[in-house]
Amino acid sequence: MKGSFMRSHRRRDFLKGLGASVGAGFLFNPFLDSIAEAAPGRKPKRLLLFCTMGTAPSIWKPTSVSGETPTFSESTSPLADVKQHVVLVDGLPSGNPGNNHGAPDGLTGLGFSDPAKLISVDQFIADQLIAAGTKTQIPSLLLGAESTVNGGRSPYYRKDNLPGIASPTSAYSTLFGSAIPSNTSSNDLLRRRKSVLDHLKNEITALEGNLGSEQKYKLELHIDSIRQIEERLSNASSGQTGGCSVPTKPATDPANPLAANLLHMDLLVGAFACDITRVGAIQWGSDQAMNVDLPDIGLKGDEHGAMIHTGAPAHLDLIKLEKWLSQRFVDLINKLKAIPEADGSGTLFDNTLIAWCRDMGDSPNHNQNEMKFVLASGEGGYLKTAPGGRYIKSSERHERVLLSLCDAMGVTDFAGFGDPNLRSKSPLPGLSAN
């Protein structure tokens, strides 16, 4: 009896230790959370904010709408290629409709009346994820060339205004420089690690000698399941089933801010793939200006002065720029689609919610009377989508879309975010598939 108790006690201690060893062995593995969340669901794992200056309503609105199905305007026409994933939201006023350039309303839901309470939705969600136990290397990744050009502001706040990382080389160093040796590819990362089970080979052999046939069989099943997890992680890193895909290191920082942001897009996708962050944002210019130099489409000049406030009412150059930005939004979707999740739950896009947000709804008239969003999620994602796309026009406060972003990321307690006097402190109705 005593021998049986000792064998049972040793077995429990070993299995407990084995589990702890596996956890320690993969403590810094970027796929560990994915294993725990293998079952796909409506809630995304990640939020990506695509932030630009306001637009001209006349060029952004669909040319027609049948039910909720839009006919995309020229400036948003690239979105038609991914329309089954896209929801356009229009008409929502901010709490301070007269606010314009530099006002924090866009991502905070608040104006300047109480600066101490300012927190943008990206920062709020990142804080709540940490509180819920989801910890990543970078809680919120903010990128963007020229994000404070001409004295402008970013849309990100934590009491004070938060600038994004403008330099792609600095962003790469921050994200990947210290994590990966310069002569090591991401495909080799997990192969460099010896199996946890190999480290415990002697202990496993000794324990098996003290077990009956049934107990030995159960132990073998347990060990086999651990081996499968290790193989899945290794395959994910090698690209066989998805996983961490480190982008090419930028050789230098482009002088053209739009070219710099193209590099930022790849860095952001790589950070998602390696689970370095769950909340990321990219800002195109500042609220005051964006220097545009796109020779391929014959466009050059400052977005604010030369495109928003010049050439009205046709806004031909602004249409070209907005169309180019729409294509970049589509490119982000396709980049995320191209990378499988390490846990087999689809692609990165299937587990990501993307939101195109603006600081103003009507830039030519400098107001926030009708804020606009473009939202996109993957198959079976958070959004209620339709094969032809969806267009929602609402008179509700735009903050309710920000609350939808919170809800999508599993944050349902909104205390401390936005306007405490908002009449309906809840997500925008009809947006979620739930």
Side-chain angles (χ1 to χ4, degrees):
M1 185 71 176
K2 181 178 179 182
S4 175
F5 171 78
M6 289 182 67
R7 285 196 298 272
S8 176
H9 182 69
R10 285 184 59 196
R11 183 165 61 251
R12 285 197 302 270
D13 286 348
F14 173 78
L15 292 176
K16 182 178 179 181
L18 182 61
S21 297
V22 171
F26 292 113
L27 181 62
F28 299 105
N29 194 288
F31 312 109
L32 186 59
D33 255 352
S34 297
I35 294 295
E37 301 171 332
R42 293 287 183 186
K43 300 290 187 181
K45 298 176 184 177
R46 311 173 191 89
L47 174 67
L48 194 164
L49 301 182
F50 185 96
C51 302
T52 69
M53 197 184 297
T55 186
S58 60
I59 72 167
W60 185 89
K61 293 178 182 295
T63 57
S64 64
V65 180
S66 176
E68 289 186 336
T69 304
T71 299
F72 294 92
S73 66
E74 178 67 17
S75 68
T76 62
S77 57
L79 300 177
D81 290 341
V82 291
K83 59 187 177 183
Q84 71 275 20
H85 301 301
V86 168
V87 180
L88 307 179
V89 189
D90 189 13
L92 309 99
S94 77
N96 306 280
N99 281 354
N100 54 73
H101 287 302
D105 305 69
L107 294 184
T108 70
L110 281 173
F112 283 119
S113 59
D114 196 347
K117 294 182 179 178
L118 287 177
I119 185 168
S120 51
V121 68
D122 54 294
Q123 299 299 300
F124 181 74
I125 290 174
D127 287 351
Q128 299 308 307
L129 290 180
I130 291 172
T134 300
K135 294 180 173 61
T136 54
Q137 180 181 327
I138 298 176
S140 178
L141 176 62
L142 309 179
L143 303 176
E146 288 201 325
S147 59
T148 55
V149 69
N150 288 356
R153 294 171 177 266
S154 81
Y156 321 119
Y157 283 83
R158 186 182 288 274
K159 296 183 181 178
D160 294 323
N161 191 230
L162 302 176
I165 301 174
S167 161
T169 56
S170 294
Y172 183 92
S173 177
T174 299
L175 293 168
F176 307 108
S178 61
I180 300 175
S182 58
N183 62 344
T184 304
S185 71
S186 61
N187 293 348
D188 296 326
L189 289 179
L190 284 174
R191 290 192 218 127
R192 288 162 56 92
R193 298 177 182 171
K194 191 175 180 181
S195 167
V196 170
L197 298 178
D198 292 338
H199 285 293
L200 298 172
K201 184 177 180 179
N202 292 337
E203 289 87 344
I204 292 172
T205 301
L207 180 61
E208 285 178 334
N210 293 320
L211 298 178
S213 58
E214 182 178 353
Q215 294 168 330
K216 184 176 180 180
Y217 174 71
K218 290 179 179 180
L219 175 62
E220 288 173 348
L221 288 178
H222 183 69
I223 291 173
D224 184 59
S225 68
I226 294 172
R227 183 76 72 181
Q228 289 180 33
I229 291 174
E230 290 187 324
E231 289 175 354
R232 180 183 295 181
L233 294 172
S234 180
N235 289 340
S237 180
S238 66
Q240 296 178 38
T241 59
C244 183
S245 178
V246 178
T248 302
K249 182 179 181 179
T252 186
D253 289 334
N256 185 334
L258 297 185
N261 263 13
L262 297 182
L263 297 177
H264 281 312
M265 285 172 53
D266 288 335
L267 295 175
L268 185 51
V269 171
F272 279 165
C274 297
D275 207 25
I276 293 172
T277 190
R278 296 288 179 92
V279 179
I282 182 167
Q283 182 186 357
W284 301 82
S286 76
D287 67 281
Q288 294 291 334
M290 181 168 69
N291 294 310
V292 176
D293 187 2
L294 298 170
D296 290 349
I297 60 173
L299 192 60
K300 186 178 179 66
D302 166 49
E303 178 189 19
H304 180 244
M307 299 174 195
I308 288 176
H309 292 302
T310 304
H315 290 296
L316 297 181
D317 283 348
L318 185 59
I319 289 173
K320 285 184 180 181
L321 176 60
E322 288 276 316
K323 185 175 181 179
W324 187 88
L325 288 168
S326 292
Q327 184 59 57
R328 305 292 76 76
F329 187 86
V330 174
D331 290 347
L332 272 173
I333 290 175
N334 290 331
K335 287 175 185 291
L336 292 167
K337 277 187 173 183
I339 303 177
E341 289 279 11
D343 62 11
S345 63
T347 67
L348 294 186
F349 179 62
D350 291 326
N351 293 296
T352 302
L353 177 62
I354 308 179
W356 185 344
C357 308
R358 300 178 183 271
D359 68 330
M360 288 183 290
D362 186 343
S363 282
N365 291 310
H366 280 196
N367 68 57
Q368 299 176 348
N369 283 321
E370 43 182 300
M371 302 292 273
K372 295 164 174 56
F373 295 87
V374 180
L375 306 175
S377 67
E379 299 296 335
Y382 176 80
L383 298 175
K384 179 182 177 182
T385 55
R390 293 183 69 211
Y391 173 74
I392 299 174
K393 188 168 184 178
S394 173
S395 60
E396 294 289 339
R397 286 266 294 276
H398 94 287
E399 183 184 328
R400 299 191 68 181
V401 176
L402 304 181
L403 297 180
S404 292
L405 303 183
C406 295
D407 178 62
M409 294 298 290
V411 178
T412 55
D413 183 353
F414 309 131
F417 176 76
D419 183 355
N421 299 315
L422 181 64
R423 177 177 56 83
S424 298
K425 197 77 171 179
S426 60
L428 187 71
L431 202 55
S432 168
N434 294 332

